[in-house]
Amino acid sequence: MIMDGNGRWAKARLLPRSAGYPAGVKTLERLIEAVFELDIPYLTIFAFSTENQGRPSEEIDGIVKLIPKYFKKALPNFLKKKCSIRIIGDRNYFSNNIREIIASAENQTAAFKDRAFTIALNYGARAEIVRAVNCAIEKGNPLSETEFASCLDTAGIPDPDIIIRTGGEHRLSNFLLYQAAYAELFFIPDLWPDFNKKRLHEILEEYGKRNRRFGK
Ligand code: FPP
């Protein structure tokens, strides 16, 4: 899920752009509820990209300060639903406090194998692929695609069937470029804080009608 359009949503309400992010988290909470209801086993969200580091500091702070709050509030639900939490991306960018909070959430949920909620934080697909190539070089032998995938941040998580981007732009913006090879793409005009269960159901219905041939 590429959750685009938070800043525009806030601007349209004459609010500072950063007011769009707490509104976006509320939408995320509703999405997760729907994902559990529908028994969708894997959800990956693009919460902060490596490129977002270039934004004004008040906007970065507006997103980063939501991370500890979100984990504190959401963790009991993930434990109850037996869903693991995974972080992909380069976490060294974040403070010790945030790194400890995310490591603790990952550790407490690591044993849950049937469902995974993955948060891309300071994530960029090109940086991920370069990390994976370096991992492959260290292994020393030519790798199969499966072995290479085990070097990616998403090791153990299946490739996405569906990628949804809200906010009207038609691009992937460095999200899961390797894994998206055969994903069905949905670009929808709704700004992320306006995304809702009805729209998710419409997308799933449309997905059901698509003929996935995987090149065959
Ligand atoms: C793009 O919207 C989206 C982001 C930069 C990050 C979105 C993050 C969240 C909604 C919350 C993060 C979640 C957690 C768990 C902390 P944009 O504001 O760039 O959209 P625009 O196109 O309107 O400018």
Side-chain angles (χ1 to χ4, degrees):
M1 181 67 77
I2 304 176
M3 310 178 290
D4 199 17
N6 304 281
R8 277 172 283 160
W9 181 91
K11 275 273 162 216
R13 283 159 183 77
L14 307 178
L15 297 166
R17 280 178 55 81
S18 55
Y21 302 115
V25 170
K26 291 213 176 86
T27 303
L28 173 64
E29 289 168 351
R30 288 196 296 271
L31 169 70
I32 288 170
E33 208 180 277
V35 161
F36 283 140
E37 278 167 16
L38 291 162
D39 219 4
I40 295 171
Y42 296 95
L43 170 69
T44 302
I45 61 158
F46 204 3
F48 188 80
S49 74
T50 42
E51 290 71 28
N52 289 154
Q53 285 185 33
R55 294 201 175 190
S57 59
E58 72 266 18
E59 217 177 302
I60 298 179
D61 292 348
I63 302 173
V64 171
K65 76 173 185 212
L66 294 172
I67 300 172
K69 263 197 201 160
Y70 177 75
F71 275 87
K72 191 161 181 241
K73 185 168 172 208
L75 183 60
N77 192 32
F78 285 97
L79 289 166
K80 196 169 116 201
K81 295 285 182 359
K82 298 195 182 321
C83 176
S84 69
I85 300 182
R86 286 265 301 263
I87 305 303
I88 57 171
D90 180 6
R91 62 187 71 189
N92 292 322
Y93 173 76
F94 299 103
S95 65
N96 279 342
N97 178 41
I98 290 186
R99 289 211 302 268
E100 276 166 22
I101 288 169
I102 59 188
S104 162
E106 284 177 323
N107 292 338
Q108 288 182 63
T109 59
F112 303 140
K113 302 293 177 207
D114 294 340
R115 296 191 175 98
F117 172 52
T118 304
I119 310 178
L121 277 177
N122 194 31
Y123 171 87
R126 286 184 173 180
E128 176 194 34
I129 292 167
V130 170
R131 277 194 292 280
V133 168
N134 287 327
C135 148
I137 290 169
E138 267 180 34
K139 289 187 192 270
N141 313 312
L143 299 187
S144 66
E145 283 189 15
T146 311
E147 286 162 337
F148 183 74
S150 75
C151 285
L152 292 164
D153 294 1
T154 51
I157 301 169
D159 289 345
D161 290 314
I162 300 176
I163 293 185
I164 303 169
R165 179 178 185 141
T166 60
E169 309 287 2
H170 292 209
R171 51 179 174 257
L172 290 177
S173 298
N174 211 8
F175 185 54
L176 300 180
L177 297 184
Y178 183 89
Q179 300 85 338
Y182 283 102
E184 293 295 325
L185 306 180
F186 290 85
F187 299 103
I188 59 167
D190 318 38
L191 303 176
W192 174 248
D194 294 328
F195 185 81
N196 56 33
K197 285 187 191 180
K198 182 170 172 280
R199 190 66 84 223
L200 178 66
H201 285 271
E202 284 167 7
I203 290 170
L204 293 175
E205 205 174 311
E206 162 70 22
Y207 169 75
K209 291 184 198 147
R210 291 196 185 177
N211 179 13
R212 301 184 79 199
R213 292 184 300 279
F214 299 92
K216 295 191 181 90

mmCIF file of all heavy atoms in Angstrom, residues 17-39:
data_model
loop_
_atom_site.group_PDB
_atom_site.id
_atom_site.type_symbol
_atom_site.label_atom_id
_atom_site.label_comp_id
_atom_site.label_asym_id
_atom_site.label_seq_id
_atom_site.Cartn_x
_atom_site.Cartn_y
_atom_site.Cartn_z
ATOM 1 N N ARG A 17 0.608 20.684 6.127
ATOM 2 C CA ARG A 17 0.738 19.364 5.490
ATOM 3 C C ARG A 17 0.878 18.238 6.522
ATOM 4 O O ARG A 17 0.333 17.156 6.356
ATOM 5 C CB ARG A 17 1.970 19.345 4.568
ATOM 6 C CG ARG A 17 1.762 19.995 3.208
ATOM 7 C CD ARG A 17 3.056 19.950 2.405
ATOM 8 N NE ARG A 17 3.587 18.601 2.273
ATOM 9 C CZ ARG A 17 3.149 17.714 1.389
ATOM 10 N NH1 ARG A 17 2.198 18.033 0.547
ATOM 11 N NH2 ARG A 17 3.687 16.508 1.342
ATOM 12 N N SER A 18 1.639 18.529 7.609
ATOM 13 C CA SER A 18 1.913 17.457 8.575
ATOM 14 C C SER A 18 0.636 16.987 9.292
ATOM 15 O O SER A 18 0.624 15.905 9.869
ATOM 16 C CB SER A 18 2.981 17.882 9.582
ATOM 17 O OG SER A 18 2.583 19.075 10.190
ATOM 18 N N ALA A 19 -0.443 17.774 9.241
ATOM 19 C CA ALA A 19 -1.707 17.329 9.850
ATOM 20 C C ALA A 19 -2.298 16.151 9.069
ATOM 21 O O ALA A 19 -3.184 15.442 9.562
ATOM 22 C CB ALA A 19 -2.709 18.476 9.879
ATOM 23 N N GLY A 20 -1.816 15.925 7.862
ATOM 24 C CA GLY A 20 -2.322 14.802 7.067
ATOM 25 C C GLY A 20 -1.847 13.453 7.601
ATOM 26 O O GLY A 20 -2.514 12.433 7.369
ATOM 27 N N TYR A 21 -0.732 13.427 8.322
ATOM 28 C CA TYR A 21 -0.166 12.127 8.717
ATOM 29 C C TYR A 21 -0.941 11.440 9.847
ATOM 30 O O TYR A 21 -1.230 10.249 9.732
ATOM 31 C CB TYR A 21 1.336 12.254 8.995
ATOM 32 C CG TYR A 21 2.046 12.773 7.761
ATOM 33 C CD1 TYR A 21 2.685 14.007 7.743
ATOM 34 C CD2 TYR A 21 1.982 12.067 6.566
ATOM 35 C CE1 TYR A 21 3.272 14.508 6.578
ATOM 36 C CE2 TYR A 21 2.557 12.557 5.404
ATOM 37 C CZ TYR A 21 3.187 13.770 5.418
ATOM 38 O OH TYR A 21 3.751 14.257 4.257
ATOM 39 N N PRO A 22 -1.309 12.191 10.942
ATOM 40 C CA PRO A 22 -2.165 11.510 11.933
ATOM 41 C C PRO A 22 -3.488 11.057 11.309
ATOM 42 O O PRO A 22 -3.995 9.980 11.657
ATOM 43 C CB PRO A 22 -2.406 12.562 13.019
ATOM 44 C CG PRO A 22 -1.538 13.726 12.714
ATOM 45 C CD PRO A 22 -0.884 13.526 11.376
ATOM 46 N N ALA A 23 -4.021 11.836 10.373
ATOM 47 C CA ALA A 23 -5.259 11.411 9.695
ATOM 48 C C ALA A 23 -4.970 10.133 8.904
ATOM 49 O O ALA A 23 -5.794 9.209 8.854
ATOM 50 C CB ALA A 23 -5.764 12.519 8.782
ATOM 51 N N GLY A 24 -3.782 10.067 8.305
ATOM 52 C CA GLY A 24 -3.381 8.880 7.541
ATOM 53 C C GLY A 24 -3.247 7.654 8.435
ATOM 54 O O GLY A 24 -3.581 6.537 8.026
ATOM 55 N N VAL A 25 -2.787 7.852 9.659
ATOM 56 C CA VAL A 25 -2.654 6.711 10.582
ATOM 57 C C VAL A 25 -4.037 6.157 10.932
ATOM 58 O O VAL A 25 -4.225 4.942 11.024
ATOM 59 C CB VAL A 25 -1.840 7.093 11.855
ATOM 60 C CG1 VAL A 25 -1.920 5.984 12.894
ATOM 61 C CG2 VAL A 25 -0.389 7.386 11.501
ATOM 62 N N LYS A 26 -5.015 7.050 11.099
ATOM 63 C CA LYS A 26 -6.396 6.571 11.382
ATOM 64 C C LYS A 26 -6.887 5.692 10.231
ATOM 65 O O LYS A 26 -7.517 4.656 10.444
ATOM 66 C CB LYS A 26 -7.352 7.760 11.551
ATOM 67 C CG LYS A 26 -7.081 8.552 12.819
ATOM 68 C CD LYS A 26 -8.408 9.110 13.369
ATOM 69 C CE LYS A 26 -8.161 9.814 14.698
ATOM 70 N NZ LYS A 26 -7.752 11.238 14.525
ATOM 71 N N THR A 27 -6.587 6.127 8.988
ATOM 72 C CA THR A 27 -6.997 5.319 7.826
ATOM 73 C C THR A 27 -6.276 3.973 7.851
ATOM 74 O O THR A 27 -6.860 2.932 7.554
ATOM 75 C CB THR A 27 -6.674 6.075 6.525
ATOM 76 O OG1 THR A 27 -7.326 7.328 6.576
ATOM 77 C CG2 THR A 27 -7.145 5.310 5.305
ATOM 78 N N LEU A 28 -4.994 4.011 8.230
ATOM 79 C CA LEU A 28 -4.222 2.769 8.324
ATOM 80 C C LEU A 28 -4.883 1.812 9.321
ATOM 81 O O LEU A 28 -5.009 0.608 9.063
ATOM 82 C CB LEU A 28 -2.781 3.105 8.747
ATOM 83 C CG LEU A 28 -1.880 1.929 9.047
ATOM 84 C CD1 LEU A 28 -1.667 1.078 7.796
ATOM 85 C CD2 LEU A 28 -0.526 2.414 9.574
ATOM 86 N N GLU A 29 -5.322 2.353 10.459
ATOM 87 C CA GLU A 29 -5.960 1.499 11.471
ATOM 88 C C GLU A 29 -7.224 0.846 10.899
ATOM 89 O O GLU A 29 -7.470 -0.343 11.136
ATOM 90 C CB GLU A 29 -6.287 2.330 12.725
ATOM 91 C CG GLU A 29 -5.025 2.700 13.479
ATOM 92 C CD GLU A 29 -5.231 3.759 14.581
ATOM 93 O OE1 GLU A 29 -6.330 4.347 14.658
ATOM 94 O OE2 GLU A 29 -4.284 3.998 15.336
ATOM 95 N N ARG A 30 -7.978 1.620 10.120
ATOM 96 C CA ARG A 30 -9.207 1.054 9.514
ATOM 97 C C ARG A 30 -8.842 -0.004 8.467
ATOM 98 O O ARG A 30 -9.495 -1.029 8.343
ATOM 99 C CB ARG A 30 -10.034 2.157 8.855
ATOM 100 C CG ARG A 30 -10.713 3.083 9.855
ATOM 101 C CD ARG A 30 -11.823 3.896 9.163
ATOM 102 N NE ARG A 30 -11.297 4.785 8.138
ATOM 103 C CZ ARG A 30 -10.892 6.036 8.360
ATOM 104 N NH1 ARG A 30 -10.937 6.541 9.572
ATOM 105 N NH2 ARG A 30 -10.431 6.792 7.390
ATOM 106 N N LEU A 31 -7.765 0.253 7.717
ATOM 107 C CA LEU A 31 -7.334 -0.723 6.705
ATOM 108 C C LEU A 31 -6.943 -2.046 7.383
ATOM 109 O O LEU A 31 -7.325 -3.123 6.916
ATOM 110 C CB LEU A 31 -6.132 -0.175 5.912
ATOM 111 C CG LEU A 31 -5.435 -1.191 5.012
ATOM 112 C CD1 LEU A 31 -6.325 -1.578 3.825
ATOM 113 C CD2 LEU A 31 -4.102 -0.669 4.494
ATOM 114 N N ILE A 32 -6.193 -1.924 8.481
ATOM 115 C CA ILE A 32 -5.733 -3.149 9.158
ATOM 116 C C ILE A 32 -6.927 -3.953 9.678
ATOM 117 O O ILE A 32 -6.957 -5.184 9.564
ATOM 118 C CB ILE A 32 -4.715 -2.788 10.260
ATOM 119 C CG1 ILE A 32 -3.415 -2.361 9.574
ATOM 120 C CG2 ILE A 32 -4.474 -3.958 11.217
ATOM 121 C CD1 ILE A 32 -2.386 -1.760 10.454
ATOM 122 N N GLU A 33 -7.908 -3.244 10.206
ATOM 123 C CA GLU A 33 -9.139 -3.914 10.659
ATOM 124 C C GLU A 33 -9.757 -4.698 9.489
ATOM 125 O O GLU A 33 -10.107 -5.867 9.622
ATOM 126 C CB GLU A 33 -10.102 -2.811 11.090
ATOM 127 C CG GLU A 33 -11.107 -3.164 12.134
ATOM 128 C CD GLU A 33 -11.955 -1.914 12.395
ATOM 129 O OE1 GLU A 33 -11.516 -1.061 13.176
ATOM 130 O OE2 GLU A 33 -13.021 -1.796 11.742
ATOM 131 N N ALA A 34 -9.841 -4.051 8.321
ATOM 132 C CA ALA A 34 -10.448 -4.691 7.145
ATOM 133 C C ALA A 34 -9.596 -5.882 6.690
ATOM 134 O O ALA A 34 -10.135 -6.926 6.302
ATOM 135 C CB ALA A 34 -10.579 -3.682 6.013
ATOM 136 N N VAL A 35 -8.289 -5.738 6.767
ATOM 137 C CA VAL A 35 -7.390 -6.805 6.332
ATOM 138 C C VAL A 35 -7.553 -8.036 7.238
ATOM 139 O O VAL A 35 -7.595 -9.173 6.761
ATOM 140 C CB VAL A 35 -5.930 -6.263 6.303
ATOM 141 C CG1 VAL A 35 -4.911 -7.375 6.317
ATOM 142 C CG2 VAL A 35 -5.737 -5.374 5.078
ATOM 143 N N PHE A 36 -7.712 -7.796 8.533
ATOM 144 C CA PHE A 36 -7.961 -8.921 9.455
ATOM 145 C C PHE A 36 -9.337 -9.539 9.164
ATOM 146 O O PHE A 36 -9.467 -10.761 9.114
ATOM 147 C CB PHE A 36 -7.877 -8.478 10.915
ATOM 148 C CG PHE A 36 -6.451 -8.299 11.414
ATOM 149 C CD1 PHE A 36 -6.111 -7.251 12.254
ATOM 150 C CD2 PHE A 36 -5.443 -9.177 11.045
ATOM 151 C CE1 PHE A 36 -4.808 -7.079 12.714
ATOM 152 C CE2 PHE A 36 -4.133 -9.019 11.496
ATOM 153 C CZ PHE A 36 -3.819 -7.964 12.334
ATOM 154 N N GLU A 37 -10.353 -8.693 8.954
ATOM 155 C CA GLU A 37 -11.711 -9.211 8.669
ATOM 156 C C GLU A 37 -11.696 -10.105 7.429
ATOM 157 O O GLU A 37 -12.364 -11.121 7.369
ATOM 158 C CB GLU A 37 -12.673 -8.053 8.389
ATOM 159 C CG GLU A 37 -13.235 -7.392 9.629
ATOM 160 C CD GLU A 37 -13.917 -6.056 9.300
ATOM 161 O OE1 GLU A 37 -14.229 -5.790 8.113
ATOM 162 O OE2 GLU A 37 -14.117 -5.279 10.234
ATOM 163 N N LEU A 38 -10.930 -9.694 6.418
ATOM 164 C CA LEU A 38 -10.908 -10.415 5.141
ATOM 165 C C LEU A 38 -9.911 -11.573 5.167
ATOM 166 O O LEU A 38 -9.784 -12.300 4.190
ATOM 167 C CB LEU A 38 -10.524 -9.451 4.008
ATOM 168 C CG LEU A 38 -11.564 -8.385 3.672
ATOM 169 C CD1 LEU A 38 -10.948 -7.249 2.876
ATOM 170 C CD2 LEU A 38 -12.710 -9.019 2.883
ATOM 171 N N ASP A 39 -9.189 -11.708 6.272
ATOM 172 C CA ASP A 39 -8.193 -12.766 6.418
ATOM 173 C C ASP A 39 -7.098 -12.673 5.339
ATOM 174 O O ASP A 39 -6.666 -13.691 4.795
ATOM 175 C CB ASP A 39 -8.886 -14.137 6.386
ATOM 176 C CG ASP A 39 -8.246 -15.081 7.390
ATOM 177 O OD1 ASP A 39 -7.346 -14.633 8.118
ATOM 178 O OD2 ASP A 39 -8.637 -16.266 7.420
#
